[in-house]
């Protein structure tokens, strides 16, 4: 291919004769163009369109017009601050739970998995061949008051008769952690797997204790993986509402449910758009400051594996 | 699986125990990490096992949470709901088309990003990163805003356009990661032997990228067939498999859903096993 001149670091002399410079320089643009256009038309333009819509006023019958109605944002915050905060709280709890559960699993597979490493990873991913919605509903059925799990425990008298798990905040948080756990395990695993395990041996030889070797060697190396995992679990779990609907009942609604019903049931598009924009802003500001501190490249690389 | 040799290894003395200068770690009798991992696996599989078991449940009503006996009748009339079958076919068609379109666009993007330095590269990376990080409900709402503003009727086509949008970056970063690990000397060798750029690409670069392109395409397929949130915003009256299941929760899920879920899971397991066998043979 004709990329010799562009990839040679610091413009070192290229030994082979290169095709005309103009073609070589244009090649990446031809490659990027189709995908870039698709993302521009169906990602960038929709976001702009959503922001525009959030500043409109009117209703479905009379139509909507752009009046720079910033009051939509004030209304959205005033009406739905509770759901917004609850979503961030549930998402945060689920993310912490994912770290607490996912880190030891990733660590054990990477360091002790031996010849079965890929088998363990496959087992971890296998449940995800089943549709997200169906998996969540199955999990809900399993936890039902008279269901297989709770019903059996009640029958043998391990838990009192009136115990309920469904329709509670912990049910939602555990449901979120259940659904997004692999997104935490995989990036952490990828980093731990690639690290030179002799570093731990070296630390031990230098009289570091087991804990010290972990805190001062393994943990710092694995941090990019943890950050990637946080992004991959915190965003989708804060914005998810399937778990809240199936496992949370009416008292644990999340902001996604509000957005969905405002768009698809009430047709209150400007209001819906402003809530969505607030959610996106809150999540993305946090994430971008994270990514900036670490470099997006590194985080995306960890995500890719 | 390796539990049988564990007691043996605890008895064997560590061969490096006396030669090492530092005190070696004492061998733990119990590998807690192993049990923890297995416990987590059990948690992950519990709903799946429930689904498989209850696809054989001889349930009478629609409240399918207690075991009432074994039956095969749900498998016999798996296709009893024509709209469920249609929804499944829609999902498959959209996922296949998404896999092909996002596979091609994403591979080109990944190739360009991994190989060249060009103006706008940072912006492209940023847009891809944002598209991956943006919550699904935001993507769905934004796309619906666009389609409403443009007066585009939502349906099969808008689902497809949306699915390609949210999967293309995943393909691109998968391919880019592979491009970055390629050995440029192989392509140089091809050129030195007189191959044209196109021939080099076809005979050297493309075969080396093929596994990543395949993996990216499969990720796109899996994301597409599984998506509920974005699809629910841009689907109009078209049903996909997740949308149909969700709609059915209001009236009670028919046991056929467990059957279809079990069959899809079984296909996934078979594909995974084939993949492992092929990988073993290659290695």
């Amino acid at each position: 291919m004709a990329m010799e001149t562009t990839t040679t670091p610091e413009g070192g002399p290229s030994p082979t004769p290169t095709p005309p410079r103009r073609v070589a320089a244009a090649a990446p643009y031809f490659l990027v163009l189709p995908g870039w256009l698709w993302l521009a038309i169906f990602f960038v333009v929709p976001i702009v369109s959503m922001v525009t819509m959030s500043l409109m006023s009117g209703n479905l019958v009379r139509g909507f017009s752009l009046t720079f109605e910033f009051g939509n944002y004030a209304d959205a915050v005033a009406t739905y601050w509770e759901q917004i905060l609850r979503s961030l709280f549930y998402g945060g709890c689920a993310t912490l739970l994912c770290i607490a559960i996912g880190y030891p699993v990733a660590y054990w597979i990477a360091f002790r998995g031996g010849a079965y490493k890929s088998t363990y990873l496959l087992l971890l991913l296998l449940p995800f061949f089943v549709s997200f919605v169906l998996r969540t509903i199955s999990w809900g059925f399993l936890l039902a008051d008279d269901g297989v799990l709770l019903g059996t425990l009640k029958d043998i008298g391990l838990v009192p008769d009136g115990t309920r798990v469904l329709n509670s905040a912990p049910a939602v948080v555990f449901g979120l952690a259940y659904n997004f756990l692999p997104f935490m395990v995989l990036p952490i695993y990828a980093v731990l797997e690639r690290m030179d395990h002799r570093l731990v041996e070296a630390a031990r030889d230098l009289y570091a204790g087991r804990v010290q070797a972990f805190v001062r060697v393994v943990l710092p190396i694995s941090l990019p993986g943890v950050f990637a995992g946080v992004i991959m679990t915190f965003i989708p779990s804060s914005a998810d509402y399937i778990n809240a609907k199936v496992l949370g009942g009416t008292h644990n609604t999340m902001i996604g449910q509000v957005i969905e019903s405002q768009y698809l049931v009430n047709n209150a598009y400007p209001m819906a758009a402003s809530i969505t924009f607030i959610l996106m802003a809150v999540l993305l500001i946090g994430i971008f400051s994270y990514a900036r501190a670490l470099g997006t490249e590194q985080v995306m690389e960890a995500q890719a594996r | 699986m390796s539990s049988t040799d564990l007691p043996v290894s605890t008895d064997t003395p560590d061969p490096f125990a006396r030669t090492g200068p530092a005190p070696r770690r004492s061998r733990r009798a119990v590998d807690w990490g192993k049990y923890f991992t297995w416990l987590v696996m059990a948690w992950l599989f519990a709903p799946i096992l429930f689904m498989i078991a209850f696809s054989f449940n001889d349930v009478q009503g629609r409240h399918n949470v207690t075991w009432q006996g074994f039956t095969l009748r749900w498998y016999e009339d798996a296709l009893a709901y024509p709209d469920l079958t249609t929804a499944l076919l829609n999902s498959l068609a959209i996922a296949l088309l998404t896999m092909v379109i996002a596979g091609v666009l994403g591979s080109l993007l990944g190739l360009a990003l991994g190989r060249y330095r060009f103006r706008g590269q940072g912006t492209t990376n940023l847009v891809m990163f944002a598209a991956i990080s943006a919550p699904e409900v935001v993507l769905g709402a934004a796309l619906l805003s666009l389609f409403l503003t443009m007066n585009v009727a939502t349906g099969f086509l808008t689902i497809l356009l949306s699915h390609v949008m949210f999967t293309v970056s995943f393909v691109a970063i998968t391919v880019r990661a592979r491009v970055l690990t390629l050995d440029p000397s192989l392509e140089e060798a091809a050129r030195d032997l007189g191959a044209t750029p196109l021939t080099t690409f076809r005979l050297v670069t493309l075969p080396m990228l093929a596994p990543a392109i395949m993996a990216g395409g499969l990720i796109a397929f899996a994301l597409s067939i599984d998506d509920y949130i974005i699809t629910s915003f841009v689907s109009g009256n078209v049903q996909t498999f997740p949308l149909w299941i969700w709609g059915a929760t209001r009236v009670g899920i028919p046991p056929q859903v467990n059957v279809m879920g079990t069959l899809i899971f079984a296909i996934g397991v078979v594909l995974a096993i084939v993949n492992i066998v092929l990988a073993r043979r290659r290695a």
Side-chain angles (χ1 to χ4, degrees):
Chain A
M1 290 210 81
M3 66 294 176
E4 191 64 5
T5 46
T6 40
T7 48
T8 320
E10 269 73 60
S14 64
T16 44
T18 49
R21 242 160 212 284
R22 222 175 297 156
V23 180
Y29 296 102
F30 284 121
L31 293 176
V32 164
L33 195 67
W36 211 95
L37 275 180
W38 204 291
L39 280 173
I41 298 173
F42 297 111
F43 175 65
V44 180
V45 174
I47 298 283
V48 173
S49 151
M50 188 185 77
V51 174
T52 316
M53 190 168 264
S54 73
L55 296 171
M56 289 183 174
S57 60
N59 59 44
L60 197 63
V61 183
R62 273 189 246 134
F64 299 97
S65 54
L66 184 59
T67 54
F68 295 96
E69 185 65 56
F70 285 96
N72 288 332
Y73 284 91
D75 285 353
V77 175
T79 320
Y80 298 112
W81 62 270
E82 204 184 337
Q83 280 91 340
I84 296 175
L85 288 185
R86 186 185 289 135
S87 299
L88 296 175
F89 179 66
Y90 285 1
C93 289
T95 306
L96 290 179
L97 202 57
C98 279
I99 297 178
I101 297 172
Y103 199 105
V105 171
Y107 183 93
W108 189 82
I109 297 178
F111 280 69
R112 304 285 176 91
Y116 295 107
K117 272 180 193 172
S118 53
T119 312
Y120 280 114
L121 287 183
L122 190 72
L123 281 176
L124 196 74
L125 290 175
L126 217 46
F128 294 81
F129 282 117
V130 175
S131 157
F132 183 96
V133 171
L134 189 51
R135 235 180 316 131
T136 312
I137 291 173
S138 272
W139 181 234
F141 283 162
L142 200 58
L143 296 179
D145 295 338
D146 53 347
V148 179
L149 209 62
L150 219 51
T152 314
L153 287 176
K154 282 174 185 171
D155 284 347
I156 55 176
L158 271 179
V159 296
D161 246 0
T163 312
R164 310 194 61 186
V165 173
L166 280 184
N167 301 340
S168 69
V172 180
V173 170
F174 271 89
L176 291 169
Y178 171 79
N179 274 313
F180 298 108
L181 184 67
F183 297 108
M184 183 65 80
V185 176
L186 290 179
I188 297 177
Y189 169 82
V191 177
L192 289 179
E193 221 285 310
R194 262 179 299 163
M195 85 171 257
D196 189 344
H197 291 204
R198 286 173 304 182
L199 289 175
V200 182
E201 298 293 312
R204 304 278 290 154
D205 286 347
L206 294 168
Y207 295 98
R210 193 187 292 281
V211 175
Q212 210 181 2
F214 175 77
V215 172
R216 304 204 28 193
V217 178
V218 181
L219 196 61
I221 290 177
S222 66
L223 275 187
V226 176
F227 280 121
V230 166
I231 291 175
M232 298 288 275
T233 52
F234 179 64
I235 297 183
S237 55
S238 310
D240 177 67
Y241 53 92
I242 308 292
N243 283 277
K245 269 189 171 178
V246 175
L247 309 167
T250 46
H251 296 293
N252 300 294
T253 52
M254 291 173 74
I255 195 66
Q257 277 151 283
V258 175
I259 295 172
E260 189 199 36
S261 64
Q262 293 286 3
Y263 260 108
L264 300 178
V265 182
N266 301 346
N267 296 325
Y269 302 130
M271 178 60 147
S274 51
I275 310 168
T276 315
F277 186 76
I278 291 170
L279 174 69
M280 182 181 75
V282 170
L283 289 176
L284 286 191
I285 288 171
I287 293 314
F288 270 98
S289 27
Y290 246 2
R292 194 146 196 96
L294 267 124
T296 48
E297 297 270 329
Q298 204 183 355
V299 174
M300 278 187 30
E301 224 54 73
Q303 281 175 349
R305 278 151 208 276
Chain B
M1 23 193 73
S2 58
S3 58
T4 44
D5 53 27
L6 220 133
V8 181
S9 58
T10 43
D11 291 333
T12 14
D14 190 333
F16 299 102
R18 270 161 222 138
T19 53
R24 309 300 302 188
R25 58 178 147 178
S26 57
R27 290 236 173 208
R28 279 177 298 180
V30 186
D31 188 356
W32 291 108
K34 178 180 200 150
Y35 297 117
F36 185 74
T37 304
W38 280 103
L39 200 67
V40 172
M41 294 288 180
W43 180 41
L44 291 179
F45 273 94
I48 312 300
L49 296 178
F50 176 90
M51 179 191 78
I52 296 173
F54 278 66
S55 69
F56 297 106
N57 188 18
D58 195 6
V59 65
Q60 300 307 320
R62 284 234 160 157
H63 192 56
N64 196 4
V65 299
T66 48
W67 183 252
Q68 290 164 32
F70 181 87
T71 181
L72 281 174
R73 67 187 161 116
W74 310 121
Y75 282 82
E76 281 158 20
D77 28 303
L79 305 180
Y81 295 84
D83 44 344
L84 173 59
T85 316
T86 313
L88 194 59
L89 290 177
N90 281 339
S91 275
L92 281 172
I94 291 167
L96 278 174
L97 288 168
T98 300
M99 179 171 86
V100 172
I101 301 173
V104 171
L105 298 184
S107 301
L108 296 178
L109 264 176
L111 186 62
L113 289 171
R115 169 143 297 169
Y116 301 96
R117 306 207 155 270
F118 57 93
R119 199 181 289 262
Q121 189 164 25
T123 317
T124 311
N125 272 327
L126 194 71
V127 169
M128 275 171 40
F129 180 67
I132 288 178
S133 322
E136 287 192 37
V137 67
V138 170
L139 294 178
L143 283 159
L144 182 58
S145 299
L146 174 74
F147 296 140
L148 286 170
T149 315
M150 298 278 148
N151 260 322
V152 178
T154 48
F156 191 91
L157 185 66
T158 51
I159 300 177
L160 180 62
L161 294 171
S162 311
H163 281 202
V164 172
M165 183 277 285
F166 84 88
T167 54
V168 72
S169 310
F170 285 94
V171 182
I173 54 174
T174 311
V175 173
R176 185 184 65 178
R178 175 79 181 155
V179 169
L180 290 173
T181 62
L182 289 186
D183 183 358
S185 59
L186 289 170
E187 291 177 336
E188 274 165 37
R191 273 196 305 277
D192 288 348
L193 292 169
T196 62
L198 207 64
T199 316
T200 310
F201 181 76
R202 192 165 54 86
L203 295 179
V204 179
T205 317
L206 197 58
M208 288 195 296
L209 288 182
I213 295 174
M214 277 286 283
L218 286 175
I219 292 171
F221 183 90
L223 288 172
S224 164
I225 205 163
D226 196 27
D227 182 75
Y228 170 82
I229 295 182
I230 296 176
T231 314
S232 73
F233 279 91
V234 299
S235 64
N237 294 321
V238 175
Q239 293 273 21
T240 63
F241 186 60
L243 293 194
W244 195 92
I245 298 171
W246 187 257
T249 49
R250 286 155 211 249
V251 285
I253 304 262
Q256 277 86 352
V257 166
N258 284 337
V259 171
M260 297 239 174
T262 304
L263 293 178
I264 294 174
F265 181 69
I267 293 171
V269 172
V270 169
L271 283 179
I273 292 172
V274 168
N275 191 27
I276 291 175
V277 171
L278 286 181
R280 285 267 160 81
R281 190 166 298 173
R282 230 176 285 139

